[in-house]
Amino acid sequence: MHFSSDDLVCRIACNLEQVHTADEAMRAWLPLVSGLQPVSAAFEAAHPDGLRRGYLADLLVVLPLPEGGAAGDGNARSRLLAAVAALAVRLGLDPADFETDEDGVGGALRAKDEQDGSPYGAYLVLALTGADPLNPDGGEKDYEDTGEDLL
């Protein structure tokens, strides 16, 4: 996927531990998905042997950066922070916990306590200006390794 330099691309990870069915999870996430209109969404039950319980969601959301200033004028960081702050409030997270990278074009927001805060179970937001935070170089990733060493 290709993004504009005026796009804030966010990966939002959610975990609803207290729901018992996929239907309950989807109903809980419906207002968030409807409001954010992600370009990609993945929903799954947490693996029984994994670290998380309940249901998981991974949303790829593209937001426009607020207007203001030309690129490279030092205003990129403030535009990033304004966009992330609005998203964090919507997710029920504290915008002050957002940590920017050294260039001021991306960063991460981790929930301090995953048990409270977000009604959607949001616990991680990765943000990057103009690119997917998990794939900043673009294109498809192809991993030749089977991953058996991770089991």
Side-chain angles (χ1 to χ4, degrees):
M1 236 178 251
H2 298 284
F3 304 101
S4 161
S5 60
D6 286 329
D7 289 336
L8 179 62
V9 184
C10 300
R11 288 277 181 176
I12 302 170
C14 301
N15 179 211
L16 292 176
E17 293 184 2
Q18 304 303 319
V19 297
H20 302 290
T21 66
D23 187 48
E24 285 179 283
M26 294 306 289
R27 272 187 271 136
W29 284 321
L30 185 59
L32 179 66
V33 172
S34 296
L36 293 179
Q37 299 179 350
V39 295
S40 171
F43 306 97
E44 65 182 333
H47 191 280
D49 297 331
L51 296 174
R52 304 210 177 271
R53 303 285 178 249
Y55 289 84
L56 306 169
D58 177 40
L59 307 175
L60 179 64
V61 176
V62 179
L63 304 170
L65 284 170
E67 293 295 320
D73 68 354
N75 205 18
R77 184 184 209 102
S78 62
R79 292 174 64 204
L80 168 71
L81 292 174
V84 169
L87 178 62
V89 168
R90 184 175 209 161
L91 293 171
L93 300 173
D94 185 357
D97 293 335
F98 183 71
E99 298 176 9
T100 60
D101 61 16
E102 56 193 44
D103 298 328
V105 296
L109 172 61
R110 291 175 180 79
K112 285 183 181 174
D113 183 5
E114 295 176 24
Q115 301 305 317
D116 5 280
S118 176
Y120 306 109
Y123 63 92
L124 177 65
V125 177
L126 301 176
L128 186 60
T129 303
D132 182 346
L134 294 182
N135 189 9
D137 299 326
E140 296 293 320
K141 295 286 186 183
D142 185 21
Y143 300 100
E144 294 179 16
D145 193 0
T146 63
E148 288 182 14
D149 60 326
L150 300 175
L151 298 177

